[in-house]
Every structure is written in C-alpha cells, then in structure tokens.
Amino acid sequence: MTTSVHQVAQRLVENNNKNDSLVCIAIAGGGGSAISALASIPGASSLLLEGTVAYDRKSLENYIQQPLENYVSAQVASLLSQTALARSLKYRNSLQDQLKCIGIGASSALVQSKPGRISRAHIVATRADGRQYSCFLKMAPHNRTRVEEDLLIGRLVLESIQQVTSDEHSNVNLDFEPEDEFQQEHTPSVPPQDAVRVAAERVLLGETSAVVLLPKPDQTFVAVPHVVLPNKSLIFPGSFNPPHVGHVQLANAAKKAYEHQEEDLPVFFELSLFNADKPALNAATVSERAHKIFNLQNLPSNWAVLLTSVALFRDKADIFQNVLATDVGDTKQFSFVIGTDTMVRILNPKYYGNSQQAMLEAVRDMKQQGVHFVVGGRLQQTSETEDRTFVTGQEELSDLPADVQEMFTLVQEEDFRVDLSSTELRKQAEQQVNASS
C-alpha cells in the first residue's frame, strides 16, 4: 500500500510538468501520507504549495477560523478545501496562475481501540474556477490496521487531485473491500460562455460581494468566486460604459508609475453592479461591458475584471483589505486608479457633511487600510466660453496635509493624456442612432 501511495504521487508530479496545478492540502485526521508521499518526489514543488495536518481539534478550528461541533463530516472537508484553496491563491501574484490553484480538504476518523467505531473519511477537492470533486469512504470494520487506513485515505487524497483536474470523469480504483462503502460526486465549473452572467447574478443576489473574472486566450472569462487580491494590486473602478482606449492607457500609466518594482502588478478593472444614484446593472449589461474590455487593444499584462456590490470607496476599501494577500513583513497596500474628477469628489467636504475634518478623517481611515490613489489627468471646462484645460489634480492637493497628499500619485501629462470619455462616446453613439433613424 505504501508503494501505491508513492506511485500515485510520482504520477501526479510527472504529469504536472507544465505546472498546470498548484495544490494546498489540509488534512484533519488520517491521510497525512499523501503529503509525505508528494514531498518525497523530486520536483514536487511544481505541484505542492503547502501541506497541513490539523490533527488537534483546536488546530482544526484555528485553520478554518470557526468553531465546530462535528469534526468528521462533509462540511468540515469542504471548509478545509475552501481554506486550502484560499491559501493557494494567496501564494500566486500572477492572475493566470490563480486558475491553476486547488484546495484539498480531508476529514476522517480512523480505527481506534474503542469498540463500534466506524472508520470513515470525507474528501473535497476544489479548483479556483469552482470545479469540485467530493467523495465519502466508510471502511469495513476490523479489516485494516490504522496504518493501512491512513495509507488508503492518503491515496484517495492524491486521487482527488487527478479527479478535479481531469475533464473525463473516471472511477477511483483503490483496494476497497467488498464491505466498504464508497461514494463520489463531480461538480463541474460554470461553462465559459455563462461565467460572467452567473457571476453577476451571484453579486446581484447578495451571495457574494465580489467575484474575479480571469481572461482566457479564447476571449472568454473564468469566474473565481474566492477573491484573493495580490498585495499592491491596482484597482480601476468605473462604469466602463463603454470601455475605451483611455481606460487602457491610464491602467498602463498606473503600472508605469510603479515600474521601479520587480513585480508585474495586477490590474483589476472593477465594475460595481450597484450605484447609489442609478438602478443596479443587470447581468446582460455586465457581460456586455466585460467582453468589451476584452476587445480593447494593448491591455496590461496580468489583468482581470472585478465585479463588486459596493460603489463607495470606503466600502470598497473594507472589502479589499480583507482579501489582500501579503507576505511576511509586507505592508498591506492597494491602489485605486482614478481620474481627477473622481479625486475631486473624494476630497470634497460636501460629501462628508460639509466638514473638512470629516473628509480628512475618512481619507486617513482608508490610508490605514492600505489605500493609495493613482490619478490620471483629464480635460476640464469650467464654462462654455472657456477653452478646456488639462488638469492633473495638483491644485486640489496643494492645501491638504502632507500625510494626505502622499496618498495620491499624480500621473503627469507626458505619461498619460487621452482627450476622450465614456460620456462623449455615448453621445456620439446616440447621434449616430438619431441620424440613421
């Protein structure tokens, strides 16, 4: 049996030569042999990110961050799987690598000296795109030693990696006894053509506050419901009605502002489905705008669309700071990419009860959450008789305290200037429609 566990581990590592899967495993009870078997294979680091054995009950509760009444169940295996998946996502700054992330959770009770105790195991494997494999094994009593049971569960844990990554469902062929009871279930991910619509509906129904849409080469999206933002992410909020070249150029200019850093900072085009002054966007509209972003030229590398349920920046900050992945010693930071018109609204005391002090406190609260702003200039016209001038936002910052000013990086005109707006494009589209009717 020991050789069989290592054979499965060897096969998984050899078949993962393109780093197609990145796995975190969380074990509560038996099955730790899966982790040791993988770790003994040369090159296993291409597959295994982390292996955790939460053997004590307190250790288990600490790992999943919630108290439990029953420690061996499908629910516990699912919680372990979801937590392991979230941890795997945190270890990858490349958004495309997030598609490869898998979380394995195993909850089991093995043979003991107590009479009448039935050995059983629940295993759940979850991939970032929502595909899932789950199984349940109840072992015949008195037929195996505890070591043999642990090795059997360990092999089943490894087989679950194969099951959740394979497009073809196959039967798990292990050394089951005739009296063993084994059940398995495959849950497919959402088809790519439906990914944006389903993700938008989840946000609209309040099932989640955010969903990441990762682009694929075939110009479809994969929805990642477990949102993890790499530290120092650039988040570009907007209605994108419609998205245009100015959005792309500002996103690239924002990345350039951080070009002294080695990381390929991810850019999220954030589309809030709710607006305080307008009706909520429907799923069809969200899908249309997301795919229009995909059709733009010169998109930054390492980009995605982020659907959220919040329109106010302080609410966005509350959500994003809690899903930000940081390494040991890192300071949490993420940057909103905005235009000068948005910056003016953020700094306008009228939105804070006409209180300058309240405005400063609100902005400083966001700073404590790790918020920074990258600001792109734009044309501004104060009256119909005046020529439009390009403003960078420097004037609005000049009278603010230094600690507030340093929250804003102003993109200079030579680095970004696009005299185009979504409003102007909508007007042009309306004029074309009127002219043809």
Side-chain angles (χ1 to χ4, degrees), residues 368-382:
Q368 291 297 316
Q369 294 173 308
V371 173
H372 188 78
F373 295 94
V374 181
V375 186
R378 65 184 299 165
L379 284 176
Q380 178 175 293
Q381 186 173 18
T382 57

Side-chain angles (χ1 to χ4, degrees), residues 37-94:
L38 272 179
S40 70
I41 305 298
S45 60
S46 67
L47 172 68
L48 181 64
L49 297 175
E50 178 182 83
T52 301
V53 179
Y55 207 75
D56 181 76
R57 291 189 171 192
K58 289 295 183 183
S59 174
L60 170 57
E61 291 180 338
N62 183 68
Y63 185 83
I64 63 175
Q65 289 293 293
Q66 71 178 71
L68 295 170
E69 294 183 2
N70 184 0
Y71 291 82
V72 182
S73 67
Q75 179 189 17
V76 172
S78 179
L79 289 170
L80 286 165
S81 175
Q82 304 296 335
T83 305
L85 174 60
R87 292 177 71 86
S88 67
L89 291 168
K90 288 180 179 180
Y91 297 143
R92 284 296 173 264
N93 284 332
S94 166

Side-chain angles (χ1 to χ4, degrees), residues 281-345:
L281 299 179
N282 58 47
T285 299
V286 173
S287 182
E288 178 186 9
R289 294 185 189 178
H291 285 94
K292 282 183 176 180
I293 292 174
F294 216 142
N295 292 332
L296 294 172
Q297 300 295 314
N298 301 316
L299 285 161
S301 60
N302 209 20
W303 71 276
V305 173
L306 177 61
L307 306 183
T308 69
S309 61
V310 290
L312 300 179
F313 279 92
R314 61 174 177 267
D315 296 331
K316 297 178 193 290
D318 287 340
I319 291 177
F320 299 152
Q321 69 155 344
N322 290 322
V323 296
L324 207 63
T326 56
D327 294 329
V328 175
D330 278 354
T331 300
K332 282 188 175 183
Q333 181 180 316
F334 56 98
S335 298
F336 288 116
V337 181
I338 60 176
T340 51
D341 55 335
T342 300
M343 186 190 79
V344 168
R345 289 196 298 271

Side-chain angles (χ1 to χ4, degrees), residues 14-248:
E14 290 177 352
N15 292 342
N16 196 53
N17 55 6
K18 294 183 180 179
N19 295 350
D20 294 324
S21 300
L22 300 165
V23 182
C24 282
I25 301 174
I27 305 289
S33 55
I35 299 172
S36 59
L38 272 179
S40 70
I41 305 298
S45 60
S46 67
L47 172 68
L48 181 64
L49 297 175
E50 178 182 83
T52 301
V53 179
Y55 207 75
D56 181 76
R57 291 189 171 192
K58 289 295 183 183
S59 174
L60 170 57
E61 291 180 338
N62 183 68
Y63 185 83
I64 63 175
Q65 289 293 293
Q66 71 178 71
L68 295 170
E69 294 183 2
N70 184 0
Y71 291 82
V72 182
S73 67
Q75 179 189 17
V76 172
S78 179
L79 289 170
L80 286 165
S81 175
Q82 304 296 335
T83 305
L85 174 60
R87 292 177 71 86
S88 67
L89 291 168
K90 288 180 179 180
Y91 297 143
R92 284 296 173 264
N93 284 332
S94 166
L95 298 182
Q96 290 303 311
D97 276 354
Q98 289 194 355
L99 288 175
K100 307 174 183 179
C101 290
I102 298 170
I104 311 290
S107 167
S108 65
L110 304 186
V111 65
Q112 294 185 354
S113 57
K114 297 179 181 179
R117 180 73 174 263
I118 301 297
S119 298
R120 62 204 187 278
H122 299 268
I123 298 172
V124 176
T126 308
R127 200 168 66 175
D129 62 356
R131 178 187 285 188
Q132 194 169 80
Y133 170 78
S134 59
C135 64
F136 168 71
L137 173 63
K138 183 167 71 173
M139 288 172 270
H142 314 305
N143 287 8
R144 300 180 180 89
T145 66
R146 185 181 180 88
V147 172
E148 290 172 336
E149 289 185 348
D150 183 88
L151 293 173
L152 177 59
I153 296 172
R155 185 174 173 187
L156 193 53
V157 166
L158 296 180
E159 289 286 356
S160 71
I161 300 174
Q162 177 67 35
Q163 292 291 324
V164 80
T165 55
S166 176
D167 291 329
E168 297 182 2
H169 299 165
S170 59
N171 292 325
V172 174
N173 185 19
L174 299 182
D175 301 322
F176 294 133
E177 299 286 346
E179 297 86 358
D180 291 338
E181 178 185 340
F182 180 71
Q183 303 169 2
Q184 63 179 353
E185 180 179 2
H186 293 84
T187 303
S189 56
V190 176
Q193 63 270 23
D194 297 327
V196 181
R197 176 184 59 80
V198 172
E201 288 173 350
R202 291 191 65 226
V203 175
L204 290 168
L205 292 172
E207 296 177 4
T208 183
S209 58
V211 176
V212 171
L213 300 173
L214 295 180
K216 295 180 65 180
D218 61 358
Q219 292 205 328
T220 61
F221 287 98
V222 174
V224 180
H226 304 277
V227 176
V228 175
L229 304 183
N231 199 33
K232 302 177 184 177
S233 288
L234 301 172
I235 302 170
F236 194 155
S239 62
F240 304 107
N241 182 28
H244 56 78
V245 62
H247 294 129
V248 175

Side-chain angles (χ1 to χ4, degrees), residues 377-392:
R378 65 184 299 165
L379 284 176
Q380 178 175 293
Q381 186 173 18
T382 57
S383 70
E384 294 184 1
T385 58
E386 292 184 1
D387 293 333
R388 295 198 297 176
T389 57
F390 189 84
V391 294
T392 63

